[in-house]
Amino acid sequence: MSKLEFPISIALVGAPGSGKQETYEQFKAIADSWFDGNKSVLNVIPNPGNVIADDLDTAVGLFGGWKEDLRVFFRRYEQEQQLQAENKSYITLGSALENLAHCGVNMENIMRQIQTEQQQQELQVQQITMTTLTYLFLSTFRYTFAFYLPKNEKAIVLPGVDDNEANYDKRVDDALKMVFANFGIRMQVLQGTVEENASKMLSTIRDIWENGPEELTGEAPGLVDDGVPSEESVTLSE
């Protein structure tokens, strides 16, 4: 039986509003002592989209486009490479999967309103970006552990939050499920409270650490394999 070694990398995958930040904060609070006991430190790569939006006053997500999709990917990838070069453990809040999902939803938005030559050109650029992101995902998505936070179907839209933004976030979640299905991706789903999800992450990592990566094989419960998208269609089904 082979054992995993530090440093380790963790991807926390989920659409906007799925709770990645809150889950990470709770996970770090309960996992720091375990990492310390293994002579390691858990570093974090914040969601690059939020950093770009806050620090550079640049629209991303619903109001972003292909440039932002690529920018978010490369900003995260650069940080991952730096931490890997320094032999450090890390958790990333988001991954290339989200970049693909955002790009697919934005591409569909363009397809729904093609009327002019300019919009047709925009679609071609978006399609090229989608192909590029697909290659980047296939060549760089390498993590020791990955967990998926599905969008809360019962989430309440708070005052001041645009309904269109909530709908966009749900479509991104649906697009993620399409990506999982298209590429045969299976990862553990976190569907409890923030505290329960953080505990599940730590217990999963600790169990596999103690018992070896063989624990990753087989039909484990709670893996993404039956996500059913909502009635909103996404351009990721082929």
Side-chain angles (χ1 to χ4, degrees):
M1 177 181 68
S2 57
K3 287 196 65 175
L4 299 178
E5 296 181 357
F6 280 98
I8 63 174
S9 56
I10 307 167
L12 196 52
V13 177
S18 59
K20 293 191 291 292
Q21 181 66 37
E22 297 82 359
T23 301
Y24 154 70
E25 291 174 355
Q26 180 63 29
F27 173 71
K28 181 172 174 58
I30 64 174
D32 270 351
S33 60
W34 183 76
F35 277 87
D36 184 63
N38 285 281
K39 297 180 173 57
S40 185
V41 175
L42 180 64
N43 297 272
V44 62
I45 299 177
N47 187 327
N50 293 339
V51 175
I52 290 172
D54 295 340
D55 294 353
L56 304 179
D57 194 27
T58 300
V60 296
L62 174 61
F63 301 105
W66 66 271
K67 293 179 183 178
E68 286 69 44
D69 292 331
L70 289 172
R71 191 175 190 179
V72 169
F73 170 84
F74 280 109
R75 177 167 283 215
R76 177 192 302 111
Y77 185 51
E78 181 178 352
Q79 294 178 79
E80 290 180 354
Q81 286 186 308
Q82 183 65 44
L83 289 168
Q84 290 166 10
E86 296 173 356
N87 209 36
K88 294 180 178 179
S89 297
Y90 65 89
I91 179 171
T92 175
L93 308 189
S95 69
L97 289 170
E98 285 89 339
N99 302 137
L100 268 175
H102 279 284
C103 188
V105 172
N106 288 330
M107 183 165 68
E108 183 177 69
N109 290 341
I110 297 173
M111 292 176 65
R112 287 178 169 179
Q113 56 181 344
I114 291 180
Q115 298 175 350
T116 66
E117 182 177 345
Q118 179 182 352
Q119 287 170 320
Q120 292 176 346
Q121 292 174 347
E122 290 176 356
L123 176 60
Q124 290 176 345
V125 172
Q126 198 74 15
Q127 289 172 327
I128 293 171
T129 304
M130 191 74 178
T131 300
T132 301
L133 284 170
T134 299
Y135 172 78
L136 291 172
F137 153 68
L138 291 173
S139 59
T140 66
F141 193 85
R142 305 287 187 271
Y143 300 101
T144 317
F145 301 95
F147 300 89
Y148 164 56
L149 281 164
K151 184 74 175 170
N152 185 358
E153 299 286 353
K154 298 180 181 179
I156 298 173
V157 178
L158 300 175
V161 178
D162 194 286
D163 286 344
N164 288 331
E165 185 173 349
N167 182 57
Y168 175 86
D169 294 348
K170 182 61 179 68
R171 289 173 63 201
V172 170
D173 187 57
D174 290 344
L176 279 172
K177 295 174 184 176
M178 290 289 189
V179 175
F180 295 149
N182 289 348
F183 291 100
I185 300 169
R186 294 169 61 79
M187 65 180 70
Q188 194 159 18
V189 184
L190 304 173
Q191 294 181 299
T193 64
V194 170
E195 292 77 12
E196 290 170 343
N197 289 340
S199 296
K200 187 173 184 179
M201 288 175 63
L202 180 56
S203 63
T204 298
I205 293 170
R206 192 165 48 201
D207 289 347
I208 293 175
W209 180 264
E210 293 174 355
N211 298 311
E214 290 80 3
E215 288 291 309
L216 288 168
T217 62
E219 295 297 320
L223 297 175
V224 175
D225 59 1
D226 59 353
V228 179
S230 69
E231 294 181 357
E232 281 284 353
S233 59
V234 293
T235 315
L236 291 168
S237 57
E238 296 181 358

